[in-house]
Amino acid sequence: MLPFVDVWANAFYHNAVKWALEERITAGTSRDTFSPNMECTRAQAVTMLWALYGKPEPDGYQAFTDVAPTAYFSKAAHWARSKGITAGVGDNKFGPDVPCTRGQIVTMLWAAAGRPDVGGDLPFNDVKESAYFAKAVKWAKEKGITAGVGGGKFAPHDPCSRAQMVCFLYKV
Protein backbone atom coordinates (compact mmCIF):
# COMPACT_ATOMS: atom_id res chain seq x y z
CA MET A 1 0.00 0.00 0.00
CA LEU A 2 1.39 3.35 -1.03
CA PRO A 3 1.16 6.34 1.30
CA PHE A 4 0.03 8.64 -1.53
CA VAL A 5 -3.61 9.66 -1.85
CA ASP A 6 -3.04 10.64 -5.51
CA VAL A 7 -1.66 7.28 -6.75
CA TRP A 8 -4.48 4.85 -7.39
CA ALA A 9 -3.95 1.09 -7.66
CA ASN A 10 -5.17 1.03 -11.27
CA ALA A 11 -3.04 3.97 -12.46
CA PHE A 12 -0.58 3.16 -15.26
CA TYR A 13 2.22 4.50 -13.06
CA HIS A 14 1.29 2.71 -9.79
CA ASN A 15 3.92 -0.04 -10.00
CA ALA A 16 6.61 2.42 -11.08
CA VAL A 17 5.84 4.76 -8.17
CA LYS A 18 5.83 1.80 -5.77
CA TRP A 19 9.21 0.67 -7.12
CA ALA A 20 10.67 4.22 -7.01
CA LEU A 21 9.59 4.60 -3.40
CA GLU A 22 10.93 1.17 -2.36
CA GLU A 23 14.24 1.72 -4.17
CA ARG A 24 14.58 5.25 -2.79
CA ILE A 25 14.66 6.72 -6.27
CA THR A 26 12.24 9.43 -5.21
CA ALA A 27 9.73 10.31 -2.55
CA GLY A 28 6.52 12.23 -2.82
CA THR A 29 6.03 15.95 -3.02
CA SER A 30 4.60 15.75 0.49
CA ARG A 31 4.05 13.06 3.09
CA ASP A 32 0.88 11.83 1.39
CA THR A 33 1.09 13.07 -2.22
CA PHE A 34 3.24 12.06 -5.17
CA SER A 35 1.89 14.65 -7.64
CA PRO A 36 1.99 12.33 -10.66
CA ASN A 37 0.74 14.96 -13.10
CA MET A 38 3.16 17.67 -11.97
CA GLU A 39 5.79 18.58 -14.55
CA CYS A 40 9.13 17.00 -13.64
CA THR A 41 11.77 19.69 -13.14
CA ARG A 42 15.41 19.37 -14.09
CA ALA A 43 16.32 19.15 -10.38
CA GLN A 44 13.85 16.30 -9.83
CA ALA A 45 14.90 14.49 -13.01
CA VAL A 46 18.65 14.43 -12.30
CA THR A 47 18.04 13.54 -8.66
CA MET A 48 15.96 10.51 -9.66
CA LEU A 49 18.47 9.49 -12.30
CA TRP A 50 21.36 9.91 -9.85
CA ALA A 51 19.51 7.72 -7.33
CA LEU A 52 18.93 5.07 -10.01
CA TYR A 53 22.70 4.90 -10.48
CA GLY A 54 23.37 4.54 -6.76
CA LYS A 55 24.00 8.19 -5.82
CA PRO A 56 27.66 8.21 -6.86
CA GLU A 57 29.97 11.05 -5.98
CA PRO A 58 30.52 13.49 -8.86
CA ASP A 59 33.84 13.24 -10.70
CA GLY A 60 35.28 16.55 -9.59
CA TYR A 61 33.31 19.60 -8.64
CA GLN A 62 31.88 21.37 -11.66
CA ALA A 63 29.74 24.13 -10.24
CA PHE A 64 26.65 25.57 -11.84
CA THR A 65 26.12 29.16 -10.80
CA ASP A 66 22.46 28.53 -9.91
CA VAL A 67 23.01 25.42 -7.75
CA ALA A 68 23.73 26.05 -4.09
CA PRO A 69 26.06 23.47 -2.54
CA THR A 70 23.35 22.71 0.03
CA ALA A 71 20.53 22.16 -2.50
CA TYR A 72 19.00 18.67 -2.36
CA PHE A 73 19.93 18.16 -6.03
CA SER A 74 23.46 19.62 -5.87
CA LYS A 75 25.40 16.35 -6.03
CA ALA A 76 23.00 14.96 -8.63
CA ALA A 77 23.39 18.00 -10.88
CA HIS A 78 27.18 17.96 -10.61
CA TRP A 79 27.28 14.19 -11.18
CA ALA A 80 25.10 14.57 -14.28
CA ARG A 81 27.40 17.30 -15.59
CA SER A 82 30.56 15.31 -14.84
CA LYS A 83 29.13 12.32 -16.74
CA GLY A 84 28.03 14.36 -19.74
CA ILE A 85 24.37 13.69 -19.05
CA THR A 86 23.57 17.39 -19.08
CA ALA A 87 25.52 20.56 -19.66
CA GLY A 88 22.80 22.71 -18.16
CA VAL A 89 20.71 25.34 -19.86
CA GLY A 90 23.57 27.63 -20.90
CA ASP A 91 25.64 30.38 -19.32
CA ASN A 92 26.90 27.90 -16.68
CA LYS A 93 23.39 27.52 -15.28
CA PHE A 94 21.57 24.29 -14.51
CA GLY A 95 17.99 25.61 -14.48
CA PRO A 96 16.75 23.47 -11.57
CA ASP A 97 13.14 24.65 -11.73
CA VAL A 98 12.80 24.37 -15.50
CA PRO A 99 10.34 21.61 -16.49
CA CYS A 100 11.80 18.84 -18.64
CA THR A 101 10.32 17.72 -21.93
CA ARG A 102 9.92 14.08 -22.83
CA GLY A 103 12.70 14.48 -25.41
CA GLN A 104 15.07 15.90 -22.80
CA ILE A 105 14.33 13.09 -20.35
CA VAL A 106 15.02 10.25 -22.79
CA THR A 107 18.17 12.09 -23.89
CA MET A 108 19.39 12.16 -20.28
CA LEU A 109 18.56 8.45 -19.88
CA TRP A 110 20.36 7.61 -23.12
CA ALA A 111 23.40 9.68 -22.09
CA ALA A 112 23.49 8.00 -18.67
CA ALA A 113 23.46 4.62 -20.46
CA GLY A 114 26.58 5.62 -22.41
CA ARG A 115 24.91 6.86 -25.61
CA PRO A 116 24.60 3.41 -27.19
CA ASP A 117 24.39 3.24 -30.97
CA VAL A 118 20.99 2.56 -32.46
CA GLY A 119 19.88 1.89 -35.98
CA GLY A 120 16.72 1.52 -37.94
CA ASP A 121 13.89 3.85 -38.66
CA LEU A 122 12.41 6.33 -36.26
CA PRO A 123 9.53 4.67 -34.45
CA PHE A 124 7.40 7.82 -34.08
CA ASN A 125 6.11 10.20 -36.75
CA ASP A 126 6.68 13.32 -34.62
CA VAL A 127 10.44 12.79 -34.23
CA LYS A 128 12.69 13.99 -37.03
CA GLU A 129 16.01 12.30 -37.74
CA SER A 130 17.75 15.67 -37.31
CA ALA A 131 16.41 16.21 -33.77
CA TYR A 132 18.99 16.13 -30.97
CA PHE A 133 16.85 13.53 -29.21
CA ALA A 134 16.27 11.23 -32.24
CA LYS A 135 18.85 8.58 -31.26
CA ALA A 136 17.69 8.70 -27.65
CA VAL A 137 14.07 8.16 -28.67
CA LYS A 138 15.08 5.25 -30.94
CA TRP A 139 17.05 3.74 -28.05
CA ALA A 140 14.20 4.20 -25.57
CA LYS A 141 11.72 2.55 -27.95
CA GLU A 142 14.15 -0.28 -28.74
CA LYS A 143 14.74 -0.93 -25.01
CA GLY A 144 11.02 -0.89 -24.18
CA ILE A 145 11.37 2.26 -22.09
CA THR A 146 8.63 3.99 -24.06
CA ALA A 147 5.82 3.07 -26.40
CA GLY A 148 5.01 6.71 -27.06
CA VAL A 149 1.76 8.47 -26.31
CA GLY A 150 -0.39 6.76 -28.93
CA GLY A 151 -1.20 7.49 -32.54
CA GLY A 152 2.39 6.87 -33.62
CA LYS A 153 3.62 9.83 -31.57
CA PHE A 154 6.23 10.30 -28.87
CA ALA A 155 5.40 13.95 -28.04
CA PRO A 156 9.04 14.98 -27.50
CA HIS A 157 8.23 18.62 -26.79
CA ASP A 158 5.51 17.92 -24.23
CA PRO A 159 6.39 18.33 -20.56
CA CYS A 160 7.36 15.10 -18.83
CA SER A 161 5.24 14.44 -15.75
CA ARG A 162 6.58 12.92 -12.56
CA ALA A 163 4.53 9.80 -13.34
CA GLN A 164 6.11 9.50 -16.80
CA MET A 165 9.57 10.05 -15.33
CA VAL A 166 9.29 7.20 -12.83
CA CYS A 167 7.83 4.96 -15.54
CA PHE A 168 10.84 5.67 -17.78
CA LEU A 169 13.25 4.94 -14.92
CA TYR A 170 11.36 1.80 -13.93
CA LYS A 171 11.91 0.40 -17.43
CA VAL A 172 15.59 1.35 -17.80
Side-chain angles (χ1 to χ4, degrees):
M1 183 88 172
L2 291 173
F4 306 126
V5 297
D6 58 354
V7 178
W8 298 275
N10 62 349
F12 75 89
Y13 49 82
H14 179 272
N15 289 343
V17 171
K18 183 176 187 270
W19 165 82
L21 191 61
E22 289 171 353
E23 296 297 318
R24 298 177 187 254
I25 302 298
T26 190
T29 54
S30 76
R31 194 172 62 96
D32 60 353
T33 58
F34 182 74
S35 303
N37 297 319
M38 178 186 285
E39 294 176 354
C40 189
T41 66
R42 291 175 54 78
Q44 292 169 345
V46 297
T47 301
M48 290 183 211
L49 188 57
W50 177 63
L52 179 70
Y53 281 87
K55 299 182 180 179
E57 288 295 318
D59 295 337
Y61 187 74
Q62 301 177 14
F64 286 109
T65 58
D66 60 347
V67 177
T70 57
Y72 78 89
F73 57 88
S74 179
K75 280 189 178 182
H78 298 303
W79 168 79
R81 186 179 203 175
S82 74
K83 293 298 182 190
I85 295 166
T86 184
V89 295
D91 198 26
N92 203 32
K93 294 190 183 304
F94 177 66
D97 298 323
V98 175
C100 289
T101 65
R102 291 170 49 81
Q104 290 168 335
I105 293 296
V106 296
T107 301
M108 286 184 203
L109 294 173
W110 175 67
R115 293 182 169 77
D117 247 352
V118 290
D121 296 329
L122 283 164
F124 303 108
N125 59 28
D126 60 348
V127 176
K128 293 181 180 175
E129 196 70 51
S130 60
Y132 75 87
F133 48 77
K135 286 183 179 180
V137 171
K138 280 185 192 180
W139 169 81
K141 173 68 170 149
E142 185 179 287
K143 291 294 205 181
I145 295 167
T146 186
V149 295
K153 298 189 181 306
F154 176 70
H157 302 293
D158 285 1
C160 185
S161 70
R162 287 173 47 82
Q164 291 170 338
M165 180 67 186
V166 296
C167 285
F168 287 153
L169 292 172
Y170 183 56
K171 295 175 182 176
V172 165

